[in-house]
């Protein structure tokens, strides 16, 4: 089966590698986003997919707008591919492109469709506190993740999983599912299933304001925001911006889902259930772990933070380094 691969970030790498290592598939070319400049050094940096393609001596095309780039469109047509595979490419494909491959244009999407159509399905499913997610392979059409579904693979979500953890796991699942999908599609063993549009939800691009932590929210809501939008959620501390990159909600609803070491910690803490402190106040220090902060409902343990201009550090190192004390206050992020 002759394939053209469209993809850009690390999430797409396992799928491309599995195609390259499978005897049934021949990857003809790779289409990826143009190189981008990194903040440090301002050097042009290739996408992870481009790096893999170069290592395998594959043609790489990087149009600014693929559906408007006549040269790329001509090359794609000339390849006469069986399948176009799209994994987190980052551009919308036109109907003209979708109709080029002989067999199909197939997308590997990071959710159980029709839930979380759009650009950031992994992040928003965590933000909303989902307990399960997965990968859907689908036939592409001109809509936003609206095509008929081919196969679905699911995975549970742990309470402490963040967006990076989940993306890494789903990327591997997606690669395996895509291989299985292509083989079954070639053998005509799959019947595409239309999506229920009435059940659809959306996962839009994340905006700057989505990162700001508001301590009047519940501990579980804040925790889901921190892990969903990892590693960028912000609060303020002593009038400086502070990223909170790992947390744990403490309370009867979530305690049973915490790892044993944190459950043990909770049993050793003094009774904090009747605290009347306002949201954002440090009500206790968990020795060896970090600060415990009052929220609008429940308590939030800060497991990892990052001061502006510094590397991430454990919550306990932060407590020691700043000499944090009970009664200090974290402010809303920006």
């Amino acid at each position: 089966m002759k394939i053209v691969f469209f993809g850009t970030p690390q999430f797409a790498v396992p799928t491309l590698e599995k195609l390259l290592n499978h005897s049934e598939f021949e990857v003809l070319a790779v289409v990826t986003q143009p190189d981008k400049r990194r903040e440090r050094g301002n050097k042009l940096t290739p996408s992870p997919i481009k790096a893999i393609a170069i290592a395998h001596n594959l043609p790489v095309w990087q149009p600014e707008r693929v559906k408007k780039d006549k040269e790329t469109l001509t090359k794609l047509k000339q390849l006469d591919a069986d399948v176009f595979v799209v994994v987190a490419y980052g551009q919308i494909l036109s109907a003209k492109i979708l109709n080029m491959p002989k067999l199909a244009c197939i997308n590997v999407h990071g959710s159980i469709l029709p839930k979380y159509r759009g650009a950031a399905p992994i992040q928003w499913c965590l933000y909303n506190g989902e307990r399960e997610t997965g990968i859907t392979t689908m036939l592409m059409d001109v809509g936003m993740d609206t095509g008929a579904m081919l196969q679905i693979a699911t995975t549970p979500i742990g309470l402490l999983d963040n967006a990076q953890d989940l993306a890494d796991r789903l990327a591997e699942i997606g690669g395996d599912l895509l291989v299985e999908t292509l083989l079954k599609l070639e053998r005509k063993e799959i019947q595409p299933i239309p999506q229920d549009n009435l059940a659809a939800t959306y996962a839009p691009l994340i905006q700057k304001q989505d990162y700001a932590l508001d301590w009047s929210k519940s501990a579980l809501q804040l925790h889901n925001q921190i892990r969903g939008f990892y590693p960028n959620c912000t609060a303020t501390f002593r009038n400086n911006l502070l990223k909170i990159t790992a947390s744990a909600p403490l309370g009867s609803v979530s305690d049973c889902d915490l790892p044993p070491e944190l459950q043990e910690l909770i049993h050793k803490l003094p009774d904090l259930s009747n605290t009347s402190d306002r949201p954002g106040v440090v009500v206790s220090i968990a020795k060896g772990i970090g600060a415990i902060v009052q929220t609008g409902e429940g308590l939030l343990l800060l497991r990892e933070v990052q001061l502006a201009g510094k590397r991430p550090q454990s919550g306990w190192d932060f407590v020691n380094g700043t000499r944090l004390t009970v009664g200090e206050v974290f402010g809303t992020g920006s």
Side-chain angles (χ1 to χ4, degrees):
M1 185 181 290
K2 296 181 178 181
I3 296 169
V4 177
F5 188 90
F6 294 71
T8 300
Q10 182 62 37
F11 180 77
V13 167
T15 303
L16 178 56
E17 289 181 331
K18 289 175 193 294
L19 291 175
L20 289 168
N21 292 327
H22 200 290
S23 61
E24 294 292 317
F25 308 125
E26 179 187 0
V27 180
L28 302 176
V30 165
V31 185
T32 189
Q33 292 276 57
D35 296 355
K36 294 191 175 179
R37 295 191 182 276
R38 297 276 186 178
E39 291 182 9
R40 292 184 179 180
N42 202 32
K43 292 183 179 180
L44 280 172
T45 304
S47 72
I49 283 296
K50 181 180 179 180
I52 298 295
I54 290 173
H56 286 82
N57 297 311
L58 293 172
V60 180
W61 305 328
Q62 298 177 273
E64 290 285 349
R65 296 185 66 194
V66 65
K67 61 184 179 181
K68 297 287 187 180
D69 192 293
K70 292 182 180 179
E71 182 180 353
T72 302
L73 291 175
T74 298
K75 290 178 179 178
L76 286 171
K77 186 68 175 177
Q78 290 173 341
L79 285 178
D80 199 29
D82 296 306
V83 173
F84 289 176
V85 170
V86 182
V87 187
Y89 171 47
Q91 294 189 40
I92 295 173
L93 303 188
S94 64
K96 183 176 182 179
I97 296 173
L98 296 177
N99 290 326
M100 285 183 184
K102 296 175 184 176
L103 187 59
C105 192
I106 298 174
N107 178 236
V108 178
H109 185 73
S111 78
I112 304 172
L113 290 171
K115 295 185 72 174
Y116 300 106
R117 295 172 176 174
I122 295 170
Q123 292 87 340
W124 286 106
C125 89
L126 286 167
Y127 178 85
N128 289 328
E130 301 283 2
R131 304 297 293 269
E132 181 183 66
T133 188
I135 290 286
T136 305
T137 52
M138 55 175 279
L139 297 176
M140 294 181 69
D141 60 19
V142 293
M144 175 66 77
D145 302 322
T146 56
M149 300 177 293
L150 297 171
Q151 288 193 285
I152 292 173
T154 64
T155 185
I157 300 174
L159 181 64
L160 299 187
D161 283 340
N162 64 31
Q164 187 62 60
D165 300 328
L166 195 52
D168 290 345
R169 190 157 78 244
L170 287 173
E172 294 294 331
I173 293 171
D176 290 333
L177 189 66
L178 187 274
V179 168
E180 181 183 330
T181 297
L182 290 176
L183 294 174
K184 286 187 175 181
L185 201 61
E186 188 175 39
R187 296 193 296 259
K188 298 182 180 179
E189 295 176 357
I190 294 181
Q191 182 63 44
I193 302 171
Q195 293 187 44
D196 179 0
N197 291 325
L198 295 178
T201 61
Y202 289 88
L205 285 169
I206 299 163
Q207 305 297 323
K208 184 179 179 182
Q209 60 265 26
D210 294 322
Y211 298 132
L213 296 172
D214 178 355
W215 297 99
S216 66
K217 293 181 178 180
S218 73
L220 185 57
Q221 287 175 317
L222 288 165
H223 172 68
N224 287 338
Q225 183 179 359
I226 289 164
R227 68 195 186 122
F229 301 151
Y230 172 88
N232 295 311
C233 286
T234 59
T236 54
F237 175 70
R238 297 176 185 171
N239 297 318
N240 293 309
L241 202 64
L242 176 74
K243 285 185 177 181
I244 299 178
T245 52
S247 59
L250 306 182
S252 57
V253 174
S254 54
D255 286 354
C256 61
D257 294 322
L258 292 171
E261 63 271 20
L262 290 184
Q263 291 190 36
E264 185 178 347
L265 161 71
I266 293 165
H267 294 312
K268 293 180 179 179
L269 287 172
D271 183 13
L272 301 172
S273 60
N274 296 318
T275 178
S276 59
D277 287 295
R278 61 189 175 90
V281 174
V282 177
V283 297
S284 184
I285 304 291
K287 188 174 181 180
I289 303 179
I292 298 174
V293 183
Q294 179 68 53
T295 71
E297 181 184 340
L299 304 172
L300 190 70
L301 173 64
L302 307 188
R303 298 167 50 231
E304 183 182 87
V305 303
Q306 184 176 4
L307 291 160
K310 304 291 185 181
R311 294 178 179 275
Q313 61 182 161
S314 71
W316 183 240
D317 286 342
F318 172 70
V319 167
N320 288 328
T322 61
R323 298 184 180 180
L324 182 71
T325 59
V326 170
E328 289 204 67
V329 182
F330 289 93
T332 300
S334 59

